[in-house]
Amino acid sequence: MNAVWAEEAGSADHPLVVVIHGSMDRSAGMLKLSRRLDMDHRVLRYDRRGYGRSFPHDGPFTMDAQVGDLVGLLAGRRAVLVGHSYGGDIALATADRHPDLIAGVAVYETPLSWEPWWPGKTAGSVAVAASGKPQEAAELFMRRLIGDRRWDELPESTRETRRAEGVAMVEELADLRRHQPWFAERVTMPVVTSYGSRGAPHHQDGMRYAASLLGCPFVELPDCRHDAPLSHPDLFRTRVIDPLLRRVGSPWGSEISAD
């Protein structure tokens, strides 16, 4: 199976917003945010290759492949992209490579793991170090992300599913460390970076640094951790997405000519 599962909600006449999930997640993690947007936007969410309903997948799990999946789903439509964690790198890489398709980008706690100063003890770094055992790497990543207690309380079938997604996680994060996916000078549309006040220091530093490179604003969301699109969808829309949409201007949803 190599298809990428996707779902759209909201009127086809409304401008398109795409929400992109991070590593070891799936589109369900962006569902609450999607529902805050689909009353006045067309919202596309999808399970990235190797996760959720897009599992199993033969790969590759490179950034080139991730961008190709997203461009295929856009099908010539111009969109605003909202990326969580690794999904933010996909959003910025697509904006870099296909600026005609992208009207604006919002990213939240997106890793900059190719940078030499990025710490080597993050959950993603530890997972890549365990790349020879992707199922163990996936469990270790999830334990770091949600805590031992929540992991142990999951049904065994769920834990097995998440372990099986370790191949996608390890390969995409290893590729991210090796290859810088986007270059700020080529991202010319409105962008906003964001992080939670309770997020990890390296994510906060990374989003401020990315904002300085991109020449864009950054937003700190109060009392939020790494899962803010899920835990605080209303705050995320009003503080991160709505200001970006005002900068982008509407409508932005014209199709791009194939000529």
Side-chain angles (χ1 to χ4, degrees):
M1 173 182 171
N2 285 305
V4 172
W5 179 91
E7 180 178 78
E8 297 189 19
S11 171
D13 295 331
H14 289 156
L16 181 64
V17 175
V18 182
V19 294
I20 312 168
H21 70 81
S23 296
M24 291 304 296
D25 201 356
R26 57 260 290 116
S27 63
M30 305 292 276
L31 180 57
K32 289 184 179 180
L33 181 62
S34 174
R35 288 173 173 166
R36 289 349 186 248
L37 292 164
D38 64 18
M39 294 298 293
D40 47 3
H41 299 87
R42 181 75 169 175
V43 181
L44 187 159
R45 63 186 183 93
Y46 66 106
D47 289 344
R48 294 194 295 101
R49 54 175 56 204
Y51 296 108
R53 283 158 287 193
S54 299
F55 175 89
H57 198 290
D58 296 333
F61 301 100
T62 61
M63 186 58 70
D64 287 345
Q66 307 282 356
V67 171
D69 288 342
L70 177 54
V71 170
L73 293 171
L74 290 176
R77 296 172 294 175
R78 197 161 178 253
V80 166
L81 307 181
V82 180
H84 174 227
S85 196
Y86 178 88
D89 282 315
I90 297 173
L92 289 166
T94 306
D96 174 325
R97 303 172 198 192
H98 300 276
D100 55 331
L101 288 173
I102 309 306
V105 179
V107 300
Y108 183 80
E109 296 201 356
T110 292
L112 309 180
S113 51
W114 62 90
E115 293 285 355
W117 51 264
W118 193 255
K121 296 298 183 181
T122 66
S125 299
V126 172
V128 170
S131 59
K133 301 177 179 179
Q135 290 198 0
E136 294 180 15
E139 178 172 339
L140 182 60
F141 184 94
M142 291 299 296
R143 286 183 180 275
R144 289 278 297 267
L145 191 66
I146 68 175
D148 290 336
R149 180 178 177 180
R150 286 180 61 193
W151 172 260
D152 291 336
E153 289 174 346
L154 293 173
E156 179 57 28
S157 60
T158 300
R159 286 183 285 172
E160 280 300 310
T161 297
R162 306 315 293 272
R163 292 186 189 106
E165 294 171 345
V167 172
M169 177 200 68
V170 167
E171 292 191 15
E172 69 188 17
L173 294 182
D175 176 73
L176 190 67
R177 292 179 69 87
R178 292 191 300 263
H179 304 112
Q180 182 171 342
W182 52 269
F183 294 86
E185 63 271 19
R186 299 204 296 248
V187 180
T188 56
M189 65 290 297
V191 178
V192 60
T193 74
S194 54
Y195 59 86
S197 66
R198 301 175 69 187
H202 64 278
H203 281 309
Q204 297 179 357
D205 293 343
M207 290 294 87
R208 288 192 291 261
Y209 180 70
S212 72
L213 293 177
L214 292 159
C216 72
F218 63 84
V219 176
E220 179 181 292
L221 296 183
D223 202 34
C224 288
R225 298 183 185 274
H226 190 59
D227 63 346
L230 175 65
S231 65
H232 294 73
D234 293 300
L235 181 67
F236 196 95
R237 169 160 187 174
T238 58
R239 294 287 297 274
V240 178
I241 298 176
D242 285 345
L244 173 69
L245 297 182
R246 288 193 289 270
R247 289 171 57 209
V248 169
S250 184
W252 62 82
S254 58
E255 291 191 4
I256 305 302
S257 170
D259 295 336

